Amino acid sequence: MKRIAVMTSGGDAPGMNAAIRAVVRTALHYEIEVYGIRQAYAGLLNGDMNLMTSREVSGILQKGGTILQTARNEEFKTQQGQRKALRRLNENSIEAVIVIGGDGSLRGGMALERIGIPVVGIPASIDNDIYGTSMSIGVDTALNTILDALDRLRDTATSHNRAFLIEVMGRNCGYLSLMSGILGGAEVVITPEKVISMEDVATQMGDAYVRGKTHAIAVIAEGAPYKTNDLLEFLNNRNLGFEIRLTILGHIQRGGNPTAFDRLLSTRMGVNAVERLLEGEHNIMVGLNGRDIVPIPLEDATSKERVISEDYYRMEHILSR
Ligand code: ADP
Ligand code: F6P
């Protein structure tokens, strides 16, 4: 193999830059050229790609976002788009692609495999919804950002005897909400996976008041079965004792410098992805299993569901009282 390419795709995640750096430097170590494809599949279709040097990935290890930028693109989902992509890769003599992104991006990787391009995927998404890896790149940083916000919000909540609804990201996955609820000491956690009625949320928050708590924090996942604003209205119509405020954390959760955990994960996955490709492995994603980085078939990574351990729900129930 003489030349490979790397792209970042889907929602950006802190640690993507560290992964790009690891891919580029590992490939160059083995005397393989690396093209950086800008703006994911959109850039691939436009032929927006360049040879990367070791210097170009200097000073990016600690930076959030992605120097290659990212995009979402519908044309690549079509056969015509994929044929165009193959032409672009052939024009540039690219023999394999490393895709850094979420499950949608990895599905794009499978489309590349179907047209004959070897692919190794690296899971990166703050949602932690990808099967086959206990952690995806960006999750730890996002979780720390949420915890920082939650700690601050509790300070002001306690000072005013208020309840707060805090909406966090995660698409249809409750990982960020559940973990930030446990680690931030929330009174209530509302995830997409486990339905808890608005009535029960009101009861739990009202109970917190009766028990003498000076605040009540409810963390609600953006993918919860009801809208955060509807819950706010519902709670405002109950007499909980607390005055209620709402904070939607939004894209703040996606930015920022990656934590040590994310830098290490990105670096290990980047090195591992290139080494596996050079050993002839492809149509896989590299995943974290225990302490090891292991190969997971792309088919499994994109079709199976990552389930959150029941233990965490149990812990949350015990500790929030
Ligand atoms: P994420 O990777 O964060 O899950 P998306 O689901 O938005 O993000 O997917 C990112 C991009 O991957 C899409 O915009 C599209 O270009 C590509 N993609 C997603 N699903 C497919 C698919 N089934 N076939 C081909 N490409 C896909
Ligand atoms: O997948 C990452 C994520 O941040 C989700 O948590 C969220 O639902 C979505 O992307 C937001 O996407 P956009 O950046 O297009 O608003």
Side-chain angles (χ1 to χ4, degrees):
M1 197 166 285
K2 291 200 173 73
R3 186 180 287 173
I4 65 171
V6 59
M7 68 160 81
T8 49
S9 171
D12 62 298
M16 278 181 160
N17 279 327
I20 294 170
R21 171 180 176 272
V23 166
V24 170
R25 295 233 167 123
T26 306
L28 294 177
H29 171 80
Y30 291 108
E31 298 182 347
I32 308 291
E33 289 181 338
V34 193
Y35 264 50
I37 301 173
R38 294 178 62 80
Q39 298 191 348
Y41 295 105
L44 174 57
L45 294 180
N46 294 334
D48 191 358
M49 54 189 96
N50 288 102
L51 206 53
M52 297 188 82
T53 64
S54 191
R55 289 290 67 78
E56 255 175 285
V57 292
S58 286
I60 67 166
L61 171 68
Q62 77 285 11
K63 287 191 175 152
T66 159
I67 58 161
L68 289 175
Q69 295 193 294
T70 178
R72 296 196 168 100
N73 179 270
E74 286 303 307
E75 190 187 351
F76 181 72
K77 290 184 179 172
T78 66
Q79 271 196 353
Q80 186 211 351
Q82 288 159 23
R83 273 199 296 271
K84 197 157 137 191
L86 181 61
R87 210 163 50 238
R88 295 295 190 206
L89 291 168
N90 287 340
E91 278 164 12
N92 291 288
S93 305
I94 291 166
E95 295 165 72
V97 180
I98 292 184
V99 176
I100 305 169
D103 59 341
S105 306
L106 299 175
R107 248 172 246 125
M110 284 178 70
L112 286 177
E113 279 277 349
R114 281 194 292 274
I115 55 174
I117 300 294
V119 169
V120 175
I122 297 182
S125 164
I126 65 163
D127 302 337
N128 216 21
D129 57 350
I130 305 172
Y131 177 87
T133 187
S134 53
M135 289 291 271
S136 293
I137 289 172
V139 176
D140 185 64
T141 308
L143 197 48
N144 277 288
T145 304
I146 297 169
L147 288 180
D148 183 48
L150 228 132
D151 293 347
R152 288 164 194 266
L153 290 170
R154 196 192 302 93
D155 287 348
T156 174
T158 306
S159 305
H160 285 264
N161 238 37
R162 280 176 174 160
F164 266 79
L165 291 186
I166 303 169
E167 186 188 291
V168 304
M169 279 186 167
R171 213 172 275 198
N172 299 317
C173 176
Y175 184 88
L176 287 178
S177 47
L178 183 58
M179 297 312 276
S180 59
I182 294 171
L183 304 176
E187 276 64 36
V188 187
V189 176
I190 305 147
T191 65
E193 290 91 345
K194 285 232 188 279
V195 180
I196 154 165
S197 68
M198 290 196 202
E199 193 61 61
D200 285 348
V201 174
T203 305
Q204 287 182 32
M205 294 182 97
D207 283 355
Y209 187 81
V210 171
R211 289 201 309 275
K213 287 208 175 187
T214 50
H215 62 259
I217 305 282
V219 176
I220 175 166
E222 64 174 351
Y226 33 80
K227 296 257 168 286
T228 309
N229 274 310
D230 293 347
L231 177 63
L232 178 66
E233 197 185 323
F234 182 89
L235 295 176
N236 271 329
N237 289 328
R238 302 285 152 135
N239 192 4
L240 299 185
F242 297 113
E243 217 187 357
I244 310 167
R245 292 287 187 271
L246 162 66
T247 301
I248 297 176
L249 295 183
H251 289 79
I252 280 182
Q253 295 162 92
R254 287 239 298 260
N257 294 348
T259 55
F261 181 93
D262 271 328
R263 293 182 203 195
L264 180 60
L265 185 67
S266 306
T267 300
R268 291 183 73 198
M269 285 181 165
V271 172
N272 199 272
V274 174
E275 289 184 337
R276 285 188 187 277
L277 202 51
L278 296 184
E279 278 160 23
E281 287 184 67
H282 62 93
N283 210 2
I284 54 161
M285 173 193 90
V286 290
L288 180 66
N289 182 348
R291 292 182 173 199
D292 301 324
I293 304 292
V294 298
I296 306 291
L298 276 180
E299 176 71 44
D300 288 354
T302 54
S303 64
K304 294 188 176 172
E305 196 190 343
R306 184 188 185 286
V307 180
I308 301 173
S309 160
E310 278 297 323
D311 259 3
Y312 289 127
Y313 290 103
R314 203 167 48 80
M315 272 167 59
E316 190 275 322
H317 181 75
I318 294 171
L319 299 174
S320 61
R321 294 302 174 265

